[in-house]
Amino acid sequence: MSAVTGSSPDLHAVQRRTLGTLVAGQALGAVGITIGIATASLLAKDISGSEKMAGLAQTFQVLGTAVASYVLARVMAVRGRRVGMVTGFLLGALGAVVVVVAGVLDSMTVLLLGALLLGSTSAANLGARYAATDLATDDTRGRSLAIVVWATTIGAVAGPNLTGLARDVADTVGIPVLTGPFALGSIGMLLAALVVGFFLRPDPLFVAREHAGAAPAPPRGTSWKRVRRAVRERPVLAAATAGLGTAHAVMVAVMVMTPLHMEHGGAQLRVIGLVISIHVLGMFAFAPVSGWAADRLGRATTVAIGGVVLLVSLFFSGRSPEGSSWQIFAGLFLLGFGWSLATVASSTLIAEHAPLESRTDIQGAADLLMNVAAALAGGVAGLIVGAWGYPSLNAFAALIAAGTLAAAAAARVSLTRVATPAEA
């Protein structure tokens, strides 16, 4: 199951170069995709005139991520990680420009199209975490994945805090204020495409296949058949995917409606941006801790810890008053950290147990399902907040977080049947 079992200096050199490139690409891509998080729901509300439709922009972006995750995985299977990631960044940059056009035209339809395309950059970023594991050893796989997730901190924390600069840019070029972050974001995505396109050589997936003596391309047959066969043979893959999906659904559902909850209480845009930055800090800055936990405490155990942290976060955010409060700061930070623990550990399980010949198929399918679950949760979130309020949304999200704990338990049972105690 390991892509690398020996101690070849050449493989280690390729892995170091791969991680360095992925870190740089993640940082730039994260600026592009996160700078508009704090304003996406506000822009959707202004264009549609309805708070119930405010979550649609984020929901469509997550749907775009779901579709792009699977499509880019198919591209990676044949053309490698580099081509797949560059394609995702370029499509995302196009989506950011389309969002700006939507603001100028005051068109919800164009906005949702742009949001769909934006999801391609998120899919490329998700693919990067798996690229980090192609040449990793068994005892460093979680940490290698976590390093790339951590790199997102550089751009992701800076992104939402650039909303002030984006507002000035919007004023200067004469576009709506809330589209300024997307105009700046497109530049970050283009730079990420350049970095990955020039420096992710040799391609880690192709090197892993060559080292393992596998075919340079996936075997014949449909992708879904390979996925179903692998899941039947290794049920832990289904449990890990469930852990990914439930944790991501909780995070998206609450995060997407938090700016509106704060705006209702009169919070300024810069304060909303700060809360989102702290949330993103929780998601990415402590990823090395999540990777260490996955490698040392066990993958399933770390997923369970993530589920518990998510429940604690929902307690705080659910009790937060409208506007700015310490509860919303604490809740959104823990929401991000709980997501990090569950996502890093679940992703490590998938990278570890997916057969090499169908690795990209399984990873793409897992990210597809993960983002479909989040898109559904995000869509329902707007309806719940519109009808019953933000505290009810957090109660709804707690039910989903319980599913993360169930997924961790299922993973542990699967691992104890087929793996060593250290893997559980």
Side-chain angles (χ1 to χ4, degrees), residues 280-300:
V280 175
L281 187 75
M283 290 176 66
F284 302 118
F286 296 92
V289 175
S290 301
W292 173 87
D295 285 338
R296 297 298 298 272
L297 304 180
R299 322 313 193 199

Side-chain angles (χ1 to χ4, degrees), residues 2 7 43 62 73 79 90 103 129 136 149 151 157-158 167 173 204 221 247 263 271 280 306 313-314 348 355 365:
S2 173
S7 57
L43 179 61
V62 175
R79 303 294 301 277
L90 292 178
R129 77 194 197 279
V149 174
V157 173
R167 179 176 54 201
V173 300
E263 186 191 45
V271 178
V280 175
S313 77
L314 297 171
T348 303

Side-chain angles (χ1 to χ4, degrees), residues 372-406:
V372 166
L376 292 173
V380 171
L383 299 176
I384 292 176
V385 170
W388 299 293
Y390 188 74
S392 296
L393 170 62
N394 284 269
F396 165 73
L399 297 177
I400 305 176
T404 306
L405 295 175

Side-chain angles (χ1 to χ4, degrees), residues 115-127:
L116 277 173
L117 291 170
L118 269 172
S120 299
T121 288
S122 296
N125 283 339
L126 289 173

Side-chain angles (χ1 to χ4, degrees), residues 164-378:
L165 174 62
R167 179 176 54 201
D168 295 337
V169 170
D171 289 339
T172 300
V173 300
I175 58 177
V177 171
L178 292 177
T179 65
F182 298 97
L184 285 182
S186 65
I187 298 173
M189 298 177 210
L190 289 173
L191 291 175
L194 287 173
V195 168
V196 172
F198 278 106
F199 297 107
L200 194 62
R201 302 167 187 269
D203 192 288
L205 181 61
F206 289 163
V207 173
R209 287 175 178 169
E210 180 181 1
H211 179 70
R220 292 182 179 274
T222 66
S223 171
W224 281 109
K225 283 184 179 179
R226 291 193 290 270
V227 171
R228 288 196 297 269
R229 181 168 60 249
V231 170
R232 283 197 302 269
E233 294 172 353
R234 308 176 187 196
V236 66
L237 293 171
T241 300
L244 274 180
T246 52
H248 201 51
V250 170
M251 189 275 292
V252 169
V254 176
M255 181 270 293
V256 73
M257 298 310 297
T258 296
L260 278 178
H261 175 64
M262 296 183 67
E263 186 191 45
H264 286 164
Q268 296 179 351
L269 186 59
R270 64 178 180 82
V271 178
I272 296 174
L274 179 59
V275 167
I276 296 301
S277 290
I278 289 176
H279 165 65
V280 175
L281 187 75
M283 290 176 66
F284 302 118
F286 296 92
V289 175
S290 301
W292 173 87
D295 285 338
R296 297 298 298 272
L297 304 180
R299 322 313 193 199
T301 298
T302 304
V303 175
I305 294 172
V308 172
V309 175
L310 286 174
L311 288 171
V312 174
S313 77
L314 297 171
F315 172 79
F316 283 116
S317 57
R319 294 175 61 85
S320 66
E322 293 180 342
S324 177
S325 65
W326 71 267
Q327 291 99 326
I328 200 68
F329 276 87
L332 267 290
F333 170 76
L334 291 174
L335 181 70
F337 185 46
W339 175 91
S340 174
L341 288 163
T343 299
V344 167
S346 296
S347 299
T348 303
L349 279 172
I350 292 170
E352 189 165 51
H353 293 277
L356 182 58
E357 66 274 10
S358 56
R359 178 177 294 175
T360 57
D361 299 312
I362 294 164
Q363 292 166 350
D367 284 351
L368 167 67
L369 295 173
M370 158 187 166
N371 284 286
V372 166
L376 292 173

